[in-house]
Amino acid sequence: MSETLTIEAGFSHRGGMERQDTEQRGTEERRDSARAALLAGYQTVRQLTELLAETLSPEDQQLQSMPDASPTKWHRAHVTWFFETFILQAHKSGYCVFDEHFNYLFNSYYEAVGARHPRPERGLLSRPTAATVTQYRHYVDTAMTDLLDCADDATLATLAPLVALGLAHEQQHQELLLTDIKHAFSRHPFAPAYLPSQSFTREEPARLGFVDFEGGIAEIGHDGHGFAFDNEGPRHRVLLHPFRLATRPVTCGEYLEFMADGGYARPEFWLSDGWAMLQREGWQAPLYWSQEPHRENWQIFTLMGRRAVDPAEPVCHVSFYEAAAYAAWAGKRLPTEAEWEHAAVSGRAEHMGGFLDRQHPHPRPLLDGGDATLRGYGEVWEWTRSGYEPYPGFKPAAGAIGEYNGKFMVGQIVLRGGSCATPHGHIRPSYRNFFPPAARWQFSGIRLAEDL
Amino acid sequence: MSETLTIEAGFSHRGGMERQDTEQRGTEERRDSARAALLAGYQTVRQLTELLAETLSPEDQQLQSMPDASPTKWHRAHVTWFFETFILQAHKSGYCVFDEHFNYLFNSYYEAVGARHPRPERGLLSRPTAATVTQYRHYVDTAMTDLLDCADDATLATLAPLVALGLAHEQQHQELLLTDIKHAFSRHPFAPAYLPSQSFTREEPARLGFVDFEGGIAEIGHDGHGFAFDNEGPRHRVLLHPFRLATRPVTCGEYLEFMADGGYARPEFWLSDGWAMLQREGWQAPLYWSQEPHRENWQIFTLMGRRAVDPAEPVCHVSFYEAAAYAAWAGKRLPTEAEWEHAAVSGRAEHMGGFLDRQHPHPRPLLDGGDATLRGYGEVWEWTRSGYEPYPGFKPAAGAIGEYNGKFMVGQIVLRGGSCATPHGHIRPSYRNFFPPAARWQFSGIRLAEDL
Amino acid sequence: MSETLTIEAGFSHRGGMERQDTEQRGTEERRDSARAALLAGYQTVRQLTELLAETLSPEDQQLQSMPDASPTKWHRAHVTWFFETFILQAHKSGYCVFDEHFNYLFNSYYEAVGARHPRPERGLLSRPTAATVTQYRHYVDTAMTDLLDCADDATLATLAPLVALGLAHEQQHQELLLTDIKHAFSRHPFAPAYLPSQSFTREEPARLGFVDFEGGIAEIGHDGHGFAFDNEGPRHRVLLHPFRLATRPVTCGEYLEFMADGGYARPEFWLSDGWAMLQREGWQAPLYWSQEPHRENWQIFTLMGRRAVDPAEPVCHVSFYEAAAYAAWAGKRLPTEAEWEHAAVSGRAEHMGGFLDRQHPHPRPLLDGGDATLRGYGEVWEWTRSGYEPYPGFKPAAGAIGEYNGKFMVGQIVLRGGSCATPHGHIRPSYRNFFPPAARWQFSGIRLAEDL
Amino acid sequence: MSETLTIEAGFSHRGGMERQDTEQRGTEERRDSARAALLAGYQTVRQLTELLAETLSPEDQQLQSMPDASPTKWHRAHVTWFFETFILQAHKSGYCVFDEHFNYLFNSYYEAVGARHPRPERGLLSRPTAATVTQYRHYVDTAMTDLLDCADDATLATLAPLVALGLAHEQQHQELLLTDIKHAFSRHPFAPAYLPSQSFTREEPARLGFVDFEGGIAEIGHDGHGFAFDNEGPRHRVLLHPFRLATRPVTCGEYLEFMADGGYARPEFWLSDGWAMLQREGWQAPLYWSQEPHRENWQIFTLMGRRAVDPAEPVCHVSFYEAAAYAAWAGKRLPTEAEWEHAAVSGRAEHMGGFLDRQHPHPRPLLDGGDATLRGYGEVWEWTRSGYEPYPGFKPAAGAIGEYNGKFMVGQIVLRGGSCATPHGHIRPSYRNFFPPAARWQFSGIRLAEDL
């Protein structure tokens, strides 16, 4: 039942992404502890979602500013529907759904679960109201708590992985809730702030160093201890060629040098699709940057409002195309996901983060530290040079749950690491995030690599 | 000051569209009465807007389901901004605007008043909230009441036409508020009702007759008594050829016959643009009709929910293209706007309505009546065969107010009459409504004409 | 049989648009003359089409640069198909079609004649080749000549109006052939010339004067003598208000003043749809003008190649929106089509033209002349302020031929006059040309009007 | 100088994809032979292009039916421009370009070479004519022959790789010329044939078997002998997991079973992007299949005209999405490109082909053969499960030539094998073809794989 422990760990940082080893405990104790941990994890994750939505008015919660983003209210209902559909309806006898319309409204993409409301029209759902969604969440929470309290051990053992999946799923939507409301607010002509702004001191960022790895046969993928998504397995061997990885993500100051050197005007740095996109969209800087006449005056829109760009902080809201162009300009490249994962578990990576737990959903500057340590996980997601493809031997689960990951394995790029909007307990070194190469509304940044 | 009386009349039907003649009153009495009427008119119109929004949640009020439609909240704020901008800022010394951002947010299309928020993105304005818009309305109402109470007679004389314009403007938006929320609700998968449904009895509609007019030189356009929009003048002479006009609008039952006869499958009835639109959009029936296997089973979505089509009621939510195709199928034509206006003031038109004042925003069947009387005004707007063009000698007013009508005089078709969503006091025989030929979300129907 | 005489007149200018009166001739003589004139007219028109295509390679003849334009080859085949379909197949016993596929390929928009190839894909028709189209034309010409030669008088009387229609139709396509190849060539990066360039002298244009008309009841529409399209009738009375009409079209020099005064940057001159189009398309000048830094350096692409704008020549390739904006800027307005037609037959209009017969398909400057004469017909089509609507009592013909005009009577604006690309014999004072308000690829210009 | 030998080999099948070993020859002899082979290779490839265009009229050669496809004439000129730009201008002293406009017109995508004509508008280039392009080819051929004849050995050694690249480039365009004209003809309503149809006998296809591979460390990538594109290197080691590969591509008959089993109606087989594409485009079968009421009646459009689908022949013109869906339905998967290449050089693959050299540009059925042999290369390109990414250590060449491959390494899928439209000498086991996952106009098919 170690899945639940990872959940719990999500909200008490223990300074690393290593899994918890619990095997020494006695069986009895473990069973009780497992049930308690499952319940605690459930409550903690569910409460955090409500906390994140707390400052948003019913009107805010309905905003959908692009087809890829969803309203806050929809996120809150959809993750609830996930528990209702895959756990309560399947496993709680006599359970009555809160509203039979919700299966149509809050199914995201599960073809096997039936017809669903078109994604680009989620912003047109004034009904149910935010208040009704709150009632829905209470209704499902009560039923879930009741189910987890009363289930016999065998049932609990069946439910635990599903609950862990449901919570990991809700944590993903916690990050999306933030990136989506950020996008929505950025479209408002007066750019409202989600949180009050925080004063900050400009500091020099850590110097950029590189850590060497000699390559060879390595194992990557989830090892089966604790929860993981299906796309993280099977664990398998890969052959790595010698490489180096930057000690920290690229900063805004470094990115400004790229821009000043004609980064957005010189096709030689760009992949062809990226250059076409740049021209079509008129890109001149990362998303949320607004240009003023002089370089010093670039402004950035954050969840804490608009302010000057801080050269010391990691650059984010760049697409894969921009990340790859920056790397080409810098004479480097992006890491593969296998290189990244190998480095993350090498003992040479430091995992203080960062993450959503810091309650400051914007990347912060990394101050100077050891040159031989990889730092900065938990500030920005890091684009890799790897397309999102199945691992050798990968097979999606049967049924609707099998649609969770596998069907997206084309046209997307893997990101690794976790951002300032990611719940810390949500991620692992084997975690594979993925977005299309043009996506910019996630907290996505750049870590450089090169061949040795 | 007779403008105000028309406003007042708007809420106490007097059975006709004729203007009130008030010239016999004494001057003194008229002045006091004018001020009182202006204030009463102001309050009546402003209250009705709030009444119309009353049943809508903050989420409902934010919906924008297409670029042509606006959120309820936006309508409520925009009409208020109109008073603030063109009356309070211009004429009330020391007036402070409620929020300086609002000029950007709530300017609809006045280029002369400065930059404005793009129309298709009004649904993204979660701020201000509906509650703040309510405060805005109170703030402006207080200032307006104060201004009208205290203005000297000369100022009042200056203000009166502007107030009348502001109220006529707000009345237009009352109708749009209804047609826009209807469109938004129609896009919700479960089609919520704006008002409770009302039981109704199916009845036989009035027989279709025709009234003859011999033509000749006629005068059309507003005669200068009472309020009118600038596009209704100058009054001028036209030469009419002999014609006949149908005694009532086309019913759903008649329209079903057109459909059953292949109306939507036979290009010979359609204007070329209309046929292209039909094919592009897949039109098979009026907007808000949903098809079921058999003809008997057509459903219609109304502001009171979804129900069976009533063959006796006037057909509405048809485009000009559909109106013209129906007329071609019926061997008739649509009237010109000059014919329509001439007939409306001929003494052979009956004006009981209908209109929004009935508080049933859907057209009702017309029961049998005299064959020689034109009936049905106040059920549906009637598409004419006239493009919306300037009358001979028309000149728009100087400044921003001049943008009210003149700049739309191309690509649109004139509609006459007024619908079940139009405040009765808002219209006149000379009233020129206009929409693009493809528009279907207004309560637009068909009255047939033919040459004598 | 006077239709044929107008055709004949089309190629021997007699200095006016007045119809030929032939009624004094004897009946016998008229019959023979009618047959001969019909044959001569047929040959003249058909030969001119081939002459116009002569300088174009098979590749040129296949170009389709936008959905509204058609390849030269297609025009040549389509007008031939018109004769084959409506005359030979209907009236020549034993006639075998040249290729049974052609009915699908070369039907333009006649729904009644069956399915047809989609208009935007005409440029994909590499088969038939230009050479095969030439054979097709010979085949049909032989059959037509044979038919006209041998028909008895009764048949000839039946055929004559159809032949006249077919020839008028082909003349319309002669103009389109030129405007379409001009558009296609303008899209080539090196802007080839259709004809060799001609040297020209810059001269001062005629001064701008105005001619007054007192209005009153006037008759407009075709009077039934000679050929006319159905949309020119019925002839009917209209009531005109007093007005003035400019003695000549607006020149490029005058238009440059409008541009220099911010014409394309000041919304107050523009209809709302026009302003939106200007912004969407980035209009800054008429079509085919290319901007260089200074006003002196505007270049214009013509069928004779690219050269400097001549301030003295009539401005053309402006949309209705631009024409209306120019008129607003100039403090004038555009004429209605009734005003235009009344003036054209007033005896105060001079019709030397101009027209395609001059063999210089670009408008030429008008040199000084009498101030009290309307001049310039045959240089540019003149946008009116009239939407294209049916005349009182208009009824389209039965069958496919009825689709010729009536079904386009919405969303279009009437142009009057005729251009440097119009065969002179093709037009009449009652002629109604029509295009959408945004169209710019025709030789369309501006004549100002104002109220008296 | 072994590059040239591969070119030569391209036109005399020697039954395999193995490179020619020529190292035993004497140096002198090799030099002469190298020059002769280079010249012979040049002439052979250049002549084949003209042969392929021979049956196409000037009009045919100008067709561009979608932005991804180019006119025949453009292909003929572009490959010539490649020699002119990268060899003649750079290495032939005193060379005068044929037409200085051509650098703008016939640059495909080399940003470093300057501005270029927009790809989607190639079909609008009526000038130069096909005849002029023929002259251009002769002009460049003369200069190239002269250059290769007269160059000293050192220069020849410099030129040889560029010539080899230019010829490989032209061979790629030979295949595109065929797939592009096929697409263009398919859009013609009467589907003309590029070649005369050939009679064929329906035969039973080879039984489907699988060949096992045990995996382990393998080397892939080009080994440096003979010509290769830069994207085929560096050669490097990979770790393969045990797998099996199908003995032949999937047939139309097998694909029809997939279709009959609801293949295009069951989302569970499809990648999410693929399912969205299927719905958006209405896919119900491979490209060029046209549906008739019954399964027996599927028609297929080929370069030899339209005919019944042959169940025995390899299915082609499927997208990656369809290939992956078919594999999921079959309970298999697609191979990775490393698996594919490893298998191709394993000694268990048979390479009789197929290819363009057979002069029948459509895949033919494979008749029964040994179960332990991989067959069918040279019929259809085979979609792999590998995104098109740089090999470890890959660095594009400096300058414009570096744009040849590297900048396309995102959003594309690798195909391996070669098709019935590929010149045999053009390919190698290390050859990496690539197209977007939605592309269907290439001769792309399916070979199944599975884990051992």
Side-chain angles (χ1 to χ4, degrees), chain C residues 136-151:
Chain C
Y136 180 38
R137 291 183 63 93
H138 290 163
Y139 181 86
V140 164
D141 284 349
T142 303
M144 280 293 298
T145 306
D146 186 53
L147 177 63
L148 298 182
D149 264 341
C150 307

Side-chain angles (χ1 to χ4, degrees), chain C residues 118-230:
Chain C
R119 180 172 186 155
E121 302 192 3
R122 289 176 186 164
L124 297 182
L125 296 174
S126 63
R127 320 272 177 107
T129 62
T132 303
V133 168
T134 301
Q135 290 168 11
Y136 180 38
R137 291 183 63 93
H138 290 163
Y139 181 86
V140 164
D141 284 349
T142 303
M144 280 293 298
T145 306
D146 186 53
L147 177 63
L148 298 182
D149 264 341
C150 307
D152 57 37
D153 285 356
T155 304
L156 200 66
T158 306
L159 294 180
L162 285 170
V163 174
L165 178 61
L167 295 176
H169 172 252
E170 183 146 352
Q171 289 177 309
Q172 288 186 312
H173 281 274
Q174 288 166 352
E175 179 152 9
L176 293 173
L177 185 158
L178 290 171
T179 56
D180 291 359
I181 196 69
K182 181 172 184 178
H183 190 269
F185 279 0
S186 79
R187 295 289 298 280
H188 194 287
F190 307 120
Y194 166 76
L195 289 179
S197 69
Q198 305 179 11
S199 68
F200 65 101
T201 327
R202 291 202 180 191
E203 301 189 66
E204 281 305 297
R207 273 173 302 134
L208 184 65
F210 282 84
V211 178
D212 295 355
F213 295 89
E214 63 185 13
I217 300 272
E219 282 213 339
I220 67 165
H222 193 251
D223 63 8
H225 290 87
F227 174 80
F229 289 116
D230 59 354

Side-chain angles (χ1 to χ4, degrees), chain D residues 210-226:
Chain D
F210 282 85
V211 178
D212 295 355
F213 296 89
E214 63 187 14
I217 300 271
E219 283 213 337
I220 66 165
H222 193 252
D223 61 10
H225 290 87

